[in-house]
Amino acid sequence: QNFTLRLNPSVAADTCSCPHTGINCADNCIISADCNEQGNAVYFYGSGTINLNARLFNHGGITIHEPCNVICNKGDVSDCISI
């Protein structure tokens, strides 16, 4: 499955907590604190944009369902999502 992870465009206004399982991109929010996903698979779904100003780590996989946009505002994708 193809998805887009963009770097550094405009940033959403509201903050959201660590997803730990799934997050609805319609929330159009910013994840601003590093998230230990405790081995959980993380799903981004719905229509909207999630901005990552933090790092998701210790996850069991990340899936981004279109038309959701996940944007890394930290520079390199590896600064936002640890593999």
Side-chain angles (χ1 to χ4, degrees):
Q1 178 170 349
N2 294 327
F3 63 87
T4 302
L5 182 62
R6 297 187 180 130
L7 298 175
N8 296 324
S10 60
V11 177
D14 295 327
T15 59
C16 51
S17 59
C18 296
H20 297 306
T21 53
I23 188 165
N24 187 343
C25 295
D27 290 344
N28 292 308
C29 61
I30 301 167
I31 297 175
S32 58
D34 287 352
C35 299
N36 179 349
E37 297 302 331
Q38 303 173 2
N40 293 314
V42 178
Y43 300 91
F44 293 90
Y45 61 91
S47 179
T49 301
I50 301 296
N51 284 274
L52 297 176
N53 293 348
R55 185 172 62 99
L56 304 180
F57 64 97
N58 192 24
H59 57 80
I62 293 179
T63 304
I64 302 170
H65 296 280
E66 289 188 54
C68 177
N69 293 301
V70 178
I71 299 171
C72 175
N73 292 308
K74 292 186 68 159
D76 189 72
V77 171
S78 63
D79 295 328
C80 289
I81 299 174
S82 296
I83 298 172

